[in-house]
Amino acid sequence: MRRIALLVLLLTACERAPTTLDVSHGQTLVHAMLPAGDSLAAVLITTSAPGPENVWLKITEKAVSGARVQLESASGRVELVNAPTDDACTGFPPPLTENPDLAEGCYVGVVTGGIQPGVRYTLIDLPSGRKVTGATTVPFPPSFIAPAAGAQIMTGGVQGGKEPIHVRWAGTDKAPYVTLVAGIVNEPACNVQLRSSDLFGLSLVHVTPFDSVALQSITVSCPGQSQPVQRAAELVLTAYDSTYTEYIKGSWIGSRTNAEASAGLSGAWGVFAASASARLPVTFVPAP
Amino acid sequence: MIAYLFVLLSIGAGIQGTVRTRSSLEPIPGAVVTIPELKRTVTADARGYFVISDVPEGRWNVEASALGHATHALTVVSTGTGVIRIDFELAVEPVRIRDLEVRGGQAGEDQGGVRANTSAGPPAVRVDVASLRLQPGLAEPDVLRALQVLPAVGSISDLSSALYVRGGASDQNLITLDNIPLFNPYHLGGIFSAISAGAVSRVDVWAGAQPARAPGDRLSSTVAIHSRDGGRDQLRGEGAIGLISAHGVIDGPLPGRKGSYLLAGRRTYIDPAIAAANKLGLTDFRMPYGFSDLYGKATHSVGLLGTVSASAYLNSESIDFPESMRTDSDGDLLFNWGSRMFSVGYRQALNAYLLLDARAGYSDFHGSFDWWDSDFATEPPAKVLDGRTLARDLLVGVDLTWYRPSHTLLFGLQSDNYLFEHRLESDSGFVNDSVLLQSFNRAARERTVAAYVEGEFQLSDDFDLRVGLRHLGTDDLGNAWLPRAALRWKLGDYVAVSASAGRFAQAIRSMRNDESYVASILAYDLLTAQEKEAGLSRGDEVTLGAEWARGASTIRLDAYAKRMNRLVLPHTLEAPLDMTALTIDEYRIGTGSVRGLELLASHRVGETRYMLSYALTRSSRRVGSDVYIPRFERRHMLDATAITSLGQSGVFSTRVSWGSGQPFTPVETVVVDRTFDPATGTWRYPNAAVIVGTHNSDRLPAYFRVDVAARKQFTTQWFGRETKLSPYVQVLNLFNTHNVMFGELMPAAEPRLQYTPQLPILPTFGIEWRF
């Protein structure tokens, strides 16, 4: 009996009742990215809510409709309207484990002359009488130096003595966070992975603060297609503002601080940020 | 009780000599020598040497006493000139129940008959090996863990022997062995200290209030471990075997009996035993881990009062995958690490009042960490991890002590040449993609030269003053003048008050990040030079103390305040599991402040000794706009120990520890989190983000642990010699309290904070023998 008691004691020593966290549902969430040159600005406003048992993390989102959302810059003020059916609102996918109609919380407005680099935009958002403000300054777009537009780039990896693909660019000196990605034109479901021996990243390569990268391999995988084929693609080099930099920094580790989780915002979690991209059309050619 | 009287021709009048154990002639450090009629009291130094200056003409009684020894008194006749030499040999008088000794602090007289010496300022705490053995511990007597019972000394977790003193980090403590620094004297990640208790005579802990002569420059403490010399009369030996390791110590006279030697070794025995069984085909398993440590020392007399000594210390650990593990894990792993120390020392009384103490030494911590990835069937091994570490100190130093009638002057000089080389390279994403650890390569050299002068003045029978000035010079980090002062004032027969103030500087730092959870598991400091941008880190400390001692009771209370600046701190603050294990090239320079109150009390009733230790600590670090409490701090820590006799030859001890929870970063909420995909201009499918609050702004659950130990001694005959056998049993964490090491955020299913426990109930047993 004593042995059993001792064994039980030893086993229970490895456990301490966990403390269930108060998730504090009902938090207001705002997500917005203003890409330089776009004429349409879209903002998603949601609240977190308790989820059913089978929902990961037991949280879900509910759209917030009926808010008054305004985007303001030196050149004027734009009223964003609740436009659940607008194409811009499809850019906010819901969590995989739930399927609420988040588009009800999407607000869209046309920015006359497009979103301008160097301009500071502020968000004034009044959902349910609660004041949420945000601010961001749009960065200037970078430009590619190499490879040349339309270049044929061999995919499938460069192992076996092949030369790496050198990508060079300019205009990111002042950007706090810069990424390089590749996409297949008109085939958003395809996944392109870029590998560099020097830098982190697969589908998205973090290239701050460099002005070039040697890609060791590019691999393309498209759903339902096992044979590699030649595809029209583009390299996308994106510079982000400081608020998105703060926001994304928190996702590199397991948890975020208050500042990281409400980057550029006051009164809500999420991010109100801006970006500027350069797009380089290329052709991906499968390696023989 | 033999006394040798020599009258030497020399300047001045006084008594000079040594206090040793009868028969073995081992020096008794800290023995107290008094002339009651003259109210003169001095304390013997680390080698039992003492001087009583300015003894007037007359007939005087001179007494020598030491804990665990019989007091001896004799009468001398002084002519007022010349020097009388007395070598005391005190008979061993075993004390079954003994406790920690607060050196220099007792206002009265304690149960053991050891009278206070007169030393200014708050006293050092001395722990001798006999008291170590009586503390309930982990598997076997542990020199460093035993210090954690002191109010000034804390730990970051049950798994770490690293010391955290008065709100300072572990790299702010200097641990010396034979006056030479020891780097990372730990085994098994820090669970055990790697110093064989059988080789140690005593440990002195200067927590704050370090005098100018303290043998190192650290902001928080000096822990000086003094080894035994060994007996000069006959061969002696002792050994023990516990659950983890076996150790043995032998000592005896050198030829001619003018000196002695001591050899101590310890080794895990499970790994070689399983390896032997493996060779015999009894098992296909092999233990991949083992540790060992070895200490050797030789001491020889030179002249009338001089000695020359040499010692060496080696500790090593390794993880070496056997064949079966290579196959199972598709890889091979070979980690070797450890520390080494070599020293030579020379002491000589240049005349009746001038003592020279010189030393030279080498100390290092080294390691190689190699990991190969391969399935060993279809592909050749590829090295995926290549790590090397070296922290080295080559030093030479000299101290001069000049004994004057009412004061003692001390001078010293020490040069340390440090070399640090650390490298971690990885060809796989294992390291580079890890939040905790990144590849790095760092090398640094630094040379420091420290010089000091210090005076200890007995201004009256009741008032002692110590004033010193230390200078620390470096190659690249600047210089620092470090004034120190302390006083002690006896208010009657039972009460004394003391005060001390000092400035401290430090030229080296650990790259280990104490805010990372790794610090709770691994005690090893990865030392390097302080950042040039920061210069020497500095600290200022003030301590006020009061002590009361009467009969069998003592109480000591200290209040202190400390501030530190130019500290190299982590560049970001995250939850412990998200923080990088090392602070290397990315760092911030900040400050720290600590205030605290410490109580140490003891009381004896018959054969039972009670000890109570309490510490209140309020510490903080400030860097940029961040102000936080360091993760190792416990606001309140209470420790109660009781040691009592168990029959005629047994001892039972129990220790109860209670502490407030350590700081942790609370979770504020969990929200849906999105990242932007620039290729499609859309947001990716959302994730969950755990939002944490202000760094270390909340506390983990409180800490509570009860340890018990019992031992009994039997006497028998082995090979014609009397041998004492002491079986012991210890139970750590008797009530299996689920103490928390850290809280882990679990953002899955139901969001929760999962606690990672410290040590569970851990019964251990073993047997010691001595002949």
Side-chain angles (χ1 to χ4, degrees):
Chain A
M1 190 63 194
R2 284 182 181 176
R3 283 182 186 173
I4 294 170
L6 187 61
L7 187 63
V8 169
L9 282 173
L10 280 169
L11 291 173
T12 53
C14 298
E15 296 174 8
R16 185 182 180 106
T19 298
T20 304
L21 298 175
D22 175 11
V23 177
S24 305
H25 297 301
Q27 309 280 350
T28 302
L29 307 171
V30 171
H31 287 91
M33 176 67 77
L34 306 181
D38 278 18
S39 58
L40 213 57
V43 177
L44 179 71
I45 304 174
T46 56
T47 58
S48 60
E53 284 297 323
N54 60 348
V55 170
W56 187 54
L57 266 177
K58 276 193 175 180
I59 58 168
T60 183
E61 278 184 293
K62 282 186 177 174
V64 174
S65 57
R68 186 182 175 203
V69 184
Q70 297 175 87
L71 197 64
E72 193 176 61
S73 70
S75 58
R77 181 176 289 190
V78 178
E79 190 89 20
L80 276 64
V81 296
N82 215 174
T85 56
D86 195 289
D87 288 347
C89 292
T90 58
F92 296 104
L96 289 170
T97 47
E98 56 175 327
N99 193 21
D101 191 2
L102 289 189
E104 294 289 337
C106 182
Y107 297 78
V108 179
V110 176
V111 179
T112 308
I115 296 165
Q116 295 298 312
V119 174
R120 178 179 170 83
Y121 290 90
T122 57
L123 176 77
I124 304 168
D125 166 30
L126 302 165
S128 308
R130 186 173 175 180
K131 188 174 176 65
V132 175
T133 59
T136 181
T137 300
V138 182
F140 286 89
S143 58
F144 280 102
I145 297 173
Q152 290 198 335
I153 295 176
M154 198 164 294
T155 60
V158 292
Q159 292 90 344
K162 296 189 181 66
E163 283 295 312
I165 300 144
H166 293 280
V167 181
R168 291 190 292 131
W169 59 86
T172 58
D173 309 358
K174 294 177 182 172
Y177 178 55
V178 184
T179 62
L180 177 70
V181 296
I184 305 300
V185 175
N186 296 327
E187 292 183 90
C190 291
N191 179 263
V192 183
Q193 294 203 338
L194 310 176
R195 283 183 182 272
S196 164
S197 60
D198 304 323
L199 302 169
F200 301 142
L202 288 171
S203 56
L204 184 141
V205 182
H206 172 195
V207 294
T208 323
F210 306 104
D211 58 5
S212 67
V213 62
L215 297 175
Q216 301 296 324
S217 72
I218 298 175
T219 53
V220 180
S221 58
C222 294
Q225 297 178 19
S226 55
Q227 293 299 318
V229 296
Q230 182 171 312
R231 283 188 168 90
E234 60 181 7
L235 298 176
V236 183
L237 185 71
T238 305
Y240 299 88
D241 67 334
S242 57
T243 60
Y244 192 74
T245 307
E246 180 83 4
Y247 178 78
I248 200 72
K249 197 169 67 180
S251 70
W252 296 338
I253 54 176
S255 56
R256 289 183 169 182
T257 62
N258 276 335
E260 292 163 352
S262 55
L265 286 167
S266 172
W269 302 109
V271 63
F272 179 66
S275 63
S277 297
R279 293 175 180 270
L280 183 74
V282 293
T283 302
F284 283 165
V285 180
Chain B
M1 293 195 287
I2 301 170
Y4 302 96
L5 302 177
F6 296 96
V7 178
L8 305 177
L9 290 174
S10 182
I11 57 168
I15 300 172
Q16 164 194 59
T18 59
V19 186
R20 295 173 180 269
T21 299
R22 195 206 290 185
S23 301
S24 73
L25 296 180
E26 284 204 74
I28 305 175
V32 177
V33 183
T34 62
I35 304 179
E37 299 97 323
L38 297 175
K39 292 189 175 177
R40 300 288 304 278
T41 303
V42 297
T43 304
D45 69 9
R47 302 205 51 78
Y49 177 76
F50 71 93
V51 172
I52 303 177
S53 309
D54 198 28
V55 178
E57 183 178 348
R59 187 181 177 89
W60 312 108
N61 288 312
V62 183
E63 291 179 6
S65 56
L67 195 63
H69 295 79
T71 299
H72 179 48
L74 55 88
T75 302
V76 298
V77 178
S78 168
T79 61
T81 58
V83 173
I84 302 168
R85 175 167 172 184
I86 306 175
D87 286 334
F88 285 101
E89 292 182 21
L90 306 186
V92 173
E93 192 175 65
V95 178
R96 249 201 300 169
I97 312 296
R98 54 204 298 176
D99 57 357
L100 306 181
E101 181 186 349
V102 180
R103 185 177 65 181
Q106 313 293 24
E109 191 167 311
D110 88 359
Q111 185 81 348
V114 179
R115 186 172 298 191
N117 70 321
T118 52
S119 172
V125 177
R126 173 175 298 158
V127 181
D128 67 5
V129 168
S131 66
L132 274 180
R133 288 198 162 100
L134 300 182
Q135 299 263 343
L138 178 62
E140 45 199 66
D142 192 301
V143 172
L144 295 182
R145 273 187 182 272
L147 304 181
Q148 292 174 356
V149 74
L150 302 174
V153 182
S155 68
I156 196 167
S157 82
D158 286 350
L159 300 180
S160 174
S161 304
L163 309 177
Y164 291 80
V165 177
R166 286 192 171 177
S170 63
D171 63 353
Q172 294 176 0
N173 309 305
L174 175 71
I175 299 174
T176 64
L177 176 61
D178 299 337
N179 293 320
I180 306 297
L182 272 190
F183 298 132
N184 293 324
Y186 311 118
H187 285 316
L188 205 56
I191 292 183
F192 306 104
S193 64
I195 302 154
S196 179
V200 174
S201 68
R202 76 177 207 277
V203 184
D204 290 336
V205 183
W206 293 95
Q210 301 175 58
R213 65 173 184 276
D217 286 287
R218 296 290 193 279
L219 298 190
S220 288
S221 78
T222 298
V223 176
I225 301 168
H226 300 278
S227 62
R228 290 173 46 211
D229 272 4
R232 295 188 175 196
D233 54 340
Q234 63 173 355
L235 175 72
R236 290 183 174 83
E238 66 173 79
I241 185 161
L243 278 184
I244 307 293
S245 66
H247 83 256
V249 182
I250 58 165
D251 65 86
L254 290 173
R257 296 184 184 266
K258 282 282 196 177
S260 58
Y261 69 88
L262 181 142
L263 279 172
R266 176 167 60 165
R267 199 195 191 291
T268 48
Y269 56 82
I270 298 172
D271 48 318
I274 293 179
N278 182 275
K279 278 189 176 175
L280 294 171
L282 301 175
T283 175
D284 57 358
F285 174 73
R286 281 190 64 186
M287 190 79 169
Y289 174 79
F291 68 71
S292 65
D293 55 71
L294 186 67
Y295 176 78
K297 180 180 181 182
T299 309
H300 200 277
S301 295
V302 179
L304 276 177
L305 282 166
T307 55
V308 59
S309 62
S311 63
Y313 167 80
L314 301 167
N315 116 45
S316 67
E317 293 179 81
S318 69
I319 301 175
D320 184 2
F321 271 14
E323 188 69 38
S324 57
M325 290 183 76
R326 287 178 208 160
T327 310
D328 293 344
S329 61
D330 285 344
D332 192 8
L333 190 141
L334 180 58
F335 288 3
N336 286 297
W337 69 99
S339 48
R340 294 174 288 213
M341 187 281 288
F342 304 99
S343 80
V344 290
Y346 175 70
R347 280 168 59 97
Q348 189 59 267
L350 300 179
N351 62 35
Y353 303 107
L354 196 59
L355 179 70
L356 169 80
D357 198 333
R359 65 198 163 277
Y362 170 92
S363 183
D364 77 17
F365 176 75
H366 58 278
S368 63
F369 308 91
D370 296 318
W371 186 352
W372 295 267
D373 194 8
S374 169
D375 61 6
F376 298 99
T378 60
E379 58 187 76
K383 204 170 196 178
V384 293
L385 189 74
D386 182 357
R388 295 288 182 274
T389 185
L390 174 68
R392 187 207 76 186
D393 182 16
L394 196 59
L395 71 87
V396 58
V398 62
D399 297 302
L400 274 173
T401 308
W402 188 21
Y403 299 93
R404 302 301 302 153
S406 58
H407 62 274
T408 303
L409 294 177
L410 304 101
F411 313 87
L413 190 70
Q414 179 165 310
S415 171
D416 289 81
N417 285 272
Y418 296 104
L419 171 67
F420 307 104
E421 291 178 341
H422 309 290
R423 173 166 59 85
L424 184 66
E425 293 173 0
S426 173
D427 292 335
S428 78
F430 171 75
V431 167
N432 292 328
D433 293 346
S434 165
V435 168
L436 297 172
L437 209 58
Q438 284 86 43
S439 290
F440 71 97
N441 192 340
R442 186 182 175 104
R445 281 180 181 274
E446 190 59 61
R447 185 179 59 184
T448 64
V449 177
Y452 72 84
V453 55
E454 189 159 58
E456 290 192 343
F457 305 90
Q458 190 172 6
L459 300 179
S460 72
D461 288 347
D462 299 325
F463 196 84
D464 301 293
L465 178 69
R466 185 181 75 216
V467 181
L469 182 64
R470 189 174 179 94
H471 181 265
L472 180 64
T474 69
D475 283 347
D476 302 312
L477 302 170
N479 304 312
W481 289 99
L482 308 168
R484 315 271 170 92
L487 60 87
R488 185 166 173 276
W489 187 18
K490 277 201 278 183
L491 305 172
D493 290 338
Y494 308 117
V495 179
V497 293
S498 59
S500 75
R503 171 164 290 182
F504 307 88
Q506 186 166 327
I508 64 177
R509 72 170 180 102
S510 174
M511 293 192 288
R512 194 187 55 170
N513 180 359
D514 276 328
E515 293 303 309
S516 162
Y517 80 94
V518 175
S520 297
I521 298 168
L522 293 176
Y524 305 107
D525 279 318
L526 215 55
L527 294 171
T528 188
Q530 174 80 350
E531 300 304 316
K532 287 180 186 174
E533 176 194 1
L536 289 166
S537 57
R538 293 163 196 253
D540 298 290
E541 182 167 341
V542 176
T543 303
L544 299 174
E547 62 205 74
W548 175 86
R550 186 171 187 181
S553 305
T554 64
I555 298 174
R556 164 142 206 105
L557 190 66
D558 284 303
Y560 67 90
K562 180 164 72 171
R563 70 178 178 206
M564 300 167 281
N565 54 52
R566 305 186 193 186
L567 302 178
V568 176
L569 300 172
H571 74 290
T572 59
L573 295 172
E574 313 289 350
L577 287 159
D578 298 330
M579 293 209 56
T580 55
L582 302 174
T583 299
I584 309 169
D585 295 324
E586 287 188 299
Y587 57 83
R588 292 185 292 173
I589 297 168
T591 61
S593 68
V594 194
R595 286 173 293 148
L597 195 64
E598 294 166 356
L599 171 76
L600 183 62
S602 67
H603 180 64
R604 181 191 289 270
V605 180
E607 281 288 291
T608 304
R609 168 68 79 177
Y610 300 96
M611 199 170 81
L612 185 72
S613 158
Y614 168 74
L616 166 68
T617 310
R618 300 181 75 93
S619 61
S620 69
R621 298 288 186 271
R622 178 184 291 272
V623 54
S625 58
D626 292 323
V627 180
Y628 64 95
I629 301 167
R631 201 169 63 83
F632 50 78
E633 186 217 76
R634 291 193 190 280
R635 182 61 47 89
H636 303 276
M637 192 71 214
L638 183 70
D639 215 288
T641 305
I643 304 174
T644 188
S645 59
L646 194 67
Q648 290 297 310
S649 59
V651 175
F652 175 80
S653 58
T654 182
R655 178 184 168 191
V656 180
S657 305
W658 176 86
S660 42
Q662 289 170 315
F664 87 108
T665 306
V667 177
E668 289 201 346
T669 189
V670 183
V671 297
V672 175
D673 174 77
R674 293 181 165 82
T675 53
F676 187 70
D677 181 354
T680 58
T682 61
W683 294 83
R684 292 172 191 269
Y685 284 103
N687 218 321
V690 176
I691 313 300
V692 295
T694 305
H695 187 72
N696 287 355
S697 58
D698 207 343
R699 297 248 170 200
L700 292 168
Y703 178 93
F704 179 74
R705 204 179 86 192
V706 177
D707 304 336
V708 293
R711 61 171 52 229
K712 204 162 178 64
Q713 190 175 83
F714 303 94
T715 303
T716 185
Q717 292 286 320
W718 276 8
F719 307 108
R721 290 186 66 162
E722 183 184 275
T723 302
K724 289 173 178 164
L725 297 174
S726 301
Y728 63 86
V729 59
Q730 307 183 94
V731 183
L732 202 80
N733 196 6
L734 180 69
F735 298 119
N736 196 36
T737 319
H738 300 164
N739 292 311
V740 178
M741 187 146 52
F742 43 78
E744 183 181 2
L745 310 173
M746 301 294 283
E750 193 172 24
R752 65 190 193 277
L753 194 63
Q754 178 77 51
Y755 292 129
T756 301
Q758 304 200 40
L759 288 178
I761 183 172
L762 206 60
T764 58
F765 52 87
I767 185 166
E768 294 175 359
W769 60 88
R770 188 176 303 179
F771 61 85

